[in-house]
Amino acid sequence: MRNWKLLPAITLATLATAIVLYIAFYFVFLDFFVDLWWFRSLEFEAYFWLKLLYRFIFSGAVTAFFFAVFLFHFWIASRYLGLNPPDEILMDDSKRRRFQRFADVFMSGSARIYTPISLLLAVVIAVPFYLQWEQALLFFFGSASGIVDPVYGNDVSFYMFSYPIYMLIQKELLTTAVIVLLATGVLYWMEHVFVPNQSKEFPLGAKIHLTVLFAFVVLFVVWGFLLERFALLYSGGNEPVFFGPGFVELRYKLPMIWLEVLFFLAIAISVIFYALSERHRSKTPIIVASLGFLAVWGLQGSHTLPELIEKFIVKPNFTRTEGDSIRHNIDATMAAFDLNNIKTVDFQVNLDATKDIEAWSTKKHFENIPVWDREFLIDSYMQLQGIRPYYGFPTVDEDRYFINGHHQQVNLAAREVNIDKLPKEAQNWENTHLRYTHGYGAVISPAAQDAGIPIVWYLRDLNMSSDVGFSVKYPDIYYGLEKYRYAIVPNNLAVTDISGSAPGESVDYQGISGIPIPSLFRKMLFSFYLKDEKIFFSPNISAQSKLLLRRNIDERITALTPFLHLDKDPYLVVDKDRFYWIQDAYTLSNYYPVSKPAADDYLDGQHKFNYIRNSVKIVVDAYDGSVDYYISDPKDPIINAYNRAYPGVFKNLREMPDELMQHLRYPRDLYYMQMKIYAKYHQNSPELFYEQAETWQFASVDGQPVLPYFITMDFDRCNDLEEFVMINPMTPIHRDNLSMVGIAGTVDDKSCDHTYKPGITIFKFPKAVQVNGPSQVNALIDQNPEIASQFTLWNQQGSEVKKGRMVILTMGNSILYVQPIYMLATKTKIPELARVIVSIGNQVVMDKTLQAAFSRLKDLFIKGAAGPVSGVSAAESK
């Protein structure tokens, strides 16, 4: 009968145990082992265990520390310091036994309560440390940078590594001290009330204990005030003029913080003397100190006095009172965004471009001027080289390769698989995960081409046809930019005639990465992990099969190193063995002192930061998914801290194979951000910065900004070496004439080889000379009657005319503008390069080839044509 009564309890306990085991299996055990196997397949197993060790040792040590703090104070309060019977109770045997009996019950009972409470409180207090364990890693492994902040004289690494942790520690220690003080006071009160025969006052030991705890609260509050001083370095109250602490912060708010510390200490000392003094107690010192603290606190939060200081002291002589602060903001921002090594060249513009045109016309510059924008070219790639419905080109990249005796700029794209393009009935499990598992090959075309003819191909088709020597041993692309699902390869299916293999030929996956599936047990685990029972029941998965996970390179890298922030433009590199993806990665910090935070439109607006370095180049093998990390900026203190924390993960850049090293580039996103900052901060004196008379903006055409673009060119800087650089034109704010052209490259102009040494050169134009900006050149094109009539004619023939990106180049002492013109058929939407427009000064010509247009431009300058210039040749107008 009793067994029947216990049945519901047994059933409930069994059900609860099953639920706990299922949760532990599904959310802890399963994820842990799949991640372990995945890291092991990439040869990062030691790194996996090290990350786990850091996370749980740190959070476990913090939890144990706070548990010990809570337990220790509760224990001594209940066992030793809170009992204070009078002497007559201790001398009476019966009363002493009765007192001891109650005391023992209280001590043992309270221990059963405060022990779990201590553990619970310790876990709650330790949660923020667990969430910020990587910041703690930087704290322990970071080192000095050698740069000091201009206000307090601390090394900037203190702010990037120590300051965030100190703020967290101060907050948690203050919370702990307050909880312990209150809980211990309550414990003493309960002992005083519920244990009989206690004296009227707290015992001396209890008073001393509470005083010590109160002193800790005071200490942590004072520490908070001292840390508050450093928050002034990130003050945005002086924007939009400048960022950081100004006259009001340093001459008013900083002294107020010190006064707060002084009055708070006075309050604390007065309270302690009042509590411990047995006679001559007076509340007057406490009241006076409290009123002083409230007065300072009120002044600190008031806006009236700072506004009066601003109105009558700062604004009447702004550059004198705020000059040092502006200088600090300029220096810090330039250092934080790596802008101190920019080389500035005063570009003298020659109004007569005849000599420059003659010099340029004898060189092979035209083979690298990009007349195909990747926004238009991707449509042509899709139409002409997609070939199969399940292939696509997610993006088009630019690069340079040694072709036909010199470095030539090309466009290229990987032909990746996209299952969503298959018919719905073909999007079944076997096709998705066992058959259509990878893309195949790539296409390459020269960036400079002639109009009116079909696209020239350097690499094309599924048979990887190339007339210039491109050849790839393993052209399969298992890892790329598409949203890849998991794949299981090799398998027992006879997969033929899907990629570029010959009819009847099946080429199995031979990569070293991927998680092996050698047993039914692993098949079962992966079925649970991926929520797909077909993995377990499929007869086509063999003991040689491997599970390929996280095949999107962004997802793959983020899963490995979430502390690195990725550039939005990874690019493809073609090697004789296989394809590789190169991904630029950044280290960020939001704690560089006095540096202006980056705009919120960078990195998708997901990160707040005021310090950035392109510290890592990541190489992902498109065939087997292996990932290699190379440190590209060894001066960056953040990546050095991670390198010390995770030995063996990062390699020296010199270890990168030469065939990949030759394709490194200046990161597009970084250059965009740096130019956005430099547009204002190049005014490097407080007076100029305050005036803002030379602030720049991105050049624009038809309201759209001309963003940085790549070009391969000999800039006469390095013994005829053709450099792969990014060009960025800028105009004065609210004006259209050109102020500068920025060039970001990676060539060391001293050694003149392909050693990776990123740098920026700014060609500044004289203020007294008008240099046309892209918008003004665009207006000249639109105003040319012959060109306008040609556009009108084309728009009436079942096609649409589109202007491409305007390319701006420094040419000797002249500025060359090149703009491609495309025609889009209304039915097929295949872009066709129709014409190329070339402009120098106010002269504009249009022709089918760059060489022809440039020759006509040369003739016009040599003849000294001064009137309106014909925009099209006679042959074109027919």
Side-chain angles (χ1 to χ4, degrees), residues 23 71 74 83 174 258 343 365 392 461 597 663 714 755 812 828:
I23 293 174
L71 187 64
F74 293 158
L83 303 176
L174 178 59
W258 284 112
K343 180 181 179 181
H365 290 112
D461 298 336
H663 293 279
D714 174 14
T755 302
T828 61

Side-chain angles (χ1 to χ4, degrees), residues 521-740:
F521 178 68
R522 280 208 181 179
K523 289 180 70 176
M524 180 187 70
L525 288 183
F526 291 140
S527 296
F528 275 103
Y529 180 77
L530 296 167
K531 303 180 182 67
D532 197 338
E533 73 285 351
K534 299 181 186 67
I535 297 176
F536 182 76
F537 293 105
S538 174
N540 294 310
I541 300 175
S542 67
Q544 287 74 41
S545 297
K546 292 182 178 181
L547 175 65
L548 308 185
L549 293 173
R550 297 163 182 156
R551 299 200 290 144
N552 176 274
I553 63 171
D554 192 336
E555 178 190 8
R556 193 172 188 80
I557 295 170
T558 301
L560 279 169
T561 48
F563 50 85
L564 295 177
H565 305 272
L566 306 183
D567 191 277
K568 297 192 293 290
D569 187 31
Y571 54 96
L572 186 73
V573 174
V574 181
D575 186 42
K576 60 180 179 299
D577 188 54
R578 59 189 69 194
F579 298 111
Y580 294 94
W581 297 101
I582 296 183
Q583 171 74 67
D584 285 290
Y586 307 109
T587 48
L588 309 179
S589 175
N590 198 33
Y591 290 100
Y592 198 97
V594 203
S595 172
K596 178 179 173 59
D600 58 5
D601 61 348
Y602 183 68
L603 289 179
D604 299 326
Q606 297 176 356
H607 310 284
K608 294 182 179 180
F609 62 96
N610 65 356
Y611 169 91
I612 184 171
R613 287 295 184 272
N614 174 219
S615 51
V616 181
K617 303 285 186 180
I618 307 172
V619 178
V620 181
D621 191 321
Y623 181 71
D624 69 13
S626 60
V627 184
D628 292 299
Y629 294 85
Y630 299 93
I631 296 178
S632 55
D633 188 352
K635 295 181 180 178
D636 174 36
I638 298 179
I639 199 60
N640 286 331
Y642 282 119
N643 192 28
R644 282 188 288 270
Y646 301 123
V649 172
F650 301 96
K651 302 176 183 177
N652 192 292
L653 192 63
R654 291 190 297 270
E655 299 178 52
M656 180 182 285
D658 290 340
E659 57 270 19
L660 296 178
M661 178 81 78
Q662 294 177 9
H663 293 279
L664 296 182
R665 62 174 59 174
Y666 203 99
R668 190 192 301 266
D669 284 354
L670 176 63
Y671 188 44
Y672 168 74
M673 169 51 56
Q674 288 178 316
M675 288 299 98
K676 199 164 189 176
I677 296 291
Y678 193 71
K680 178 179 180 179
Y681 280 83
H682 73 278
Q683 303 165 109
N684 56 8
S685 72
E687 293 76 16
L688 286 175
F689 193 87
Y690 181 64
E691 293 169 3
Q692 292 293 308
E694 297 183 24
T695 303
W696 300 331
Q697 65 182 4
F698 286 101
S700 63
V701 176
D702 294 331
Q704 298 298 318
V706 179
L707 299 179
Y709 53 90
F710 287 102
I711 193 167
T712 305
M713 194 64 60
D714 174 14
F715 291 95
D716 295 324
R717 300 191 300 179
C718 224
N719 302 326
D720 297 329
L721 180 67
E722 292 163 310
E723 304 177 48
F724 185 67
V725 301
M726 258 189 302
I727 301 289
N728 178 67
M730 290 192 128
T731 65
I733 194 166
H734 305 312
R735 290 291 182 267
D736 293 325
N737 56 293
L738 211 58
S739 290
M740 71 85 161

